[in-house]
Amino acid sequence: MSDMTLVAPGERLLETTGLSVQYGGVTANSDIGITVSGGEIVGLIGPNGAGKTTFVDAVTGFTRSTGAVTLQGSRLDNASPHRRRRAGMARTWQAGELFTDLTVAQNLAVAVQPVGLRAMLSDVVNGSKPPAETIDHALVLVGLSDVADRRPGELTLGQQKLVGVARALVGGTRLVLLDEPAAGLDTHESKEFGVELRRIADTGIGVLLIDHDMSLVLEVCDHVYVLDFGKVIAHGTPSEILGDPAVVAAYLGSPEVEATDNHSAPRHSKEDS
Ligand code: ATP
């Protein structure tokens, strides 16, 4: 076990039970129960509007939900996003742009600056900033120590995506929820990205991966949950998922469940849901 991540191999990290989110008349998440253990990469897939981002919002405290969210056995469903972050869960955002005029290390430092009046006063009094070793550790985890002093524009797109992941890994993250972290990568870059994700998970961190790149998801995930209209319609290993008639029906007409294409052709749009 890494002393930075404090997760025993195979330890259950995230568990949701009966997690539901209602937006007006839309049930965006309905009774979702999933688990992610230390060292695992768990996929969460589904057509556009199926409720994947809503699930990440609910788990991390950015939207109101009912049901239970536990991290290493501690209930967090009433906790603020900041408390959940401090407890060890972190997320990336779909439009997770980097600051182009800051270095890679500065991009990570900015992401973990504490907020609020008390933090501001402590900043003024102590000149506090995140310890350099926590930033270094996150960069080691994604294999980017060598480019800490470069600006994002000097990196490949794949490296930039990994900086986005590293931002979420700063500060003892045990569970990371990645919302389409590989968007825009070509097949080769996406494969390399998958290798880095596996290295991160091998340190004991639990990874929840949402992505429309089915080749990536099916290649790198230990197991996969499939959402449709806010409900889990299937769960299993990548090969079990591929053979599941409910999954094929949910993706009807789209090639991604055959793992031959990087792009999704969703059955229904957000407007339909
Ligand atoms: P995508 O693959 O396109 O990112 P998704 O699976 O992440 O889609 P969500 O964005 O979670 O799906 O949306 C689930 C449903 O909830 C959709 O019907 C969407 O229109 C609705 N929804 C999402 N966010 C809100 C919101 N803030 N207010 C109202 N409805 C919302």
Side-chain angles (χ1 to χ4, degrees), residues 23 26 28 46-54 94 180 212 270 273:
Y23 289 128
V26 175
N48 288 127
K52 305 177 297 291
T53 297
T54 299
Q94 264 185 31
E180 298 190 29
H212 285 296
K270 287 190 182 198
S273 347

Side-chain angles (χ1 to χ4, degrees), residues 29-47:
N29 279 179
S30 176
D31 202 20
I32 297 183
I34 76 155
T35 61
V36 181
S37 298
E40 270 185 349
I41 305 177
V42 177
L44 182 65
I45 63 170

Side-chain angles (χ1 to χ4, degrees), residues 21-29 44-57 63 94 179-180 210-212 227 229-230 264 266 268-273:
V21 175
Q22 196 74 26
Y23 289 128
V26 175
T27 303
N29 279 179
L44 182 65
I45 63 170
N48 288 127
K52 305 177 297 291
T53 297
T54 299
F55 179 75
V56 174
D57 289 343
T63 199
Q94 264 185 31
D179 197 352
E180 298 190 29
I210 295 176
D211 216 282
H212 285 296
L227 279 189
F229 293 113
S264 77
H268 58 81
S269 69
K270 287 190 182 198
E271 288 69 36
D272 301 329
S273 347

Side-chain angles (χ1 to χ4, degrees), residues 56-113:
V56 174
D57 289 343
V59 166
T60 52
F62 286 91
T63 199
R64 198 185 286 270
S65 61
T66 54
V69 177
T70 58
L71 184 70
Q72 286 182 298
S74 299
R75 285 286 290 263
L76 288 176
D77 33 271
N78 283 320
S80 68
H82 294 307
R83 241 195 79 209
R84 297 184 203 209
R85 180 74 173 89
R86 280 201 302 274
M89 65 163 69
R91 68 177 296 176
T92 62
W93 300 84
Q94 264 185 31
E97 304 296 334
L98 302 175
F99 295 104
T100 52
D101 49 351
L102 299 183
T103 67
V104 166
Q106 287 166 341
N107 265 279
L108 267 56
V110 170
V112 290
Q113 283 299 335

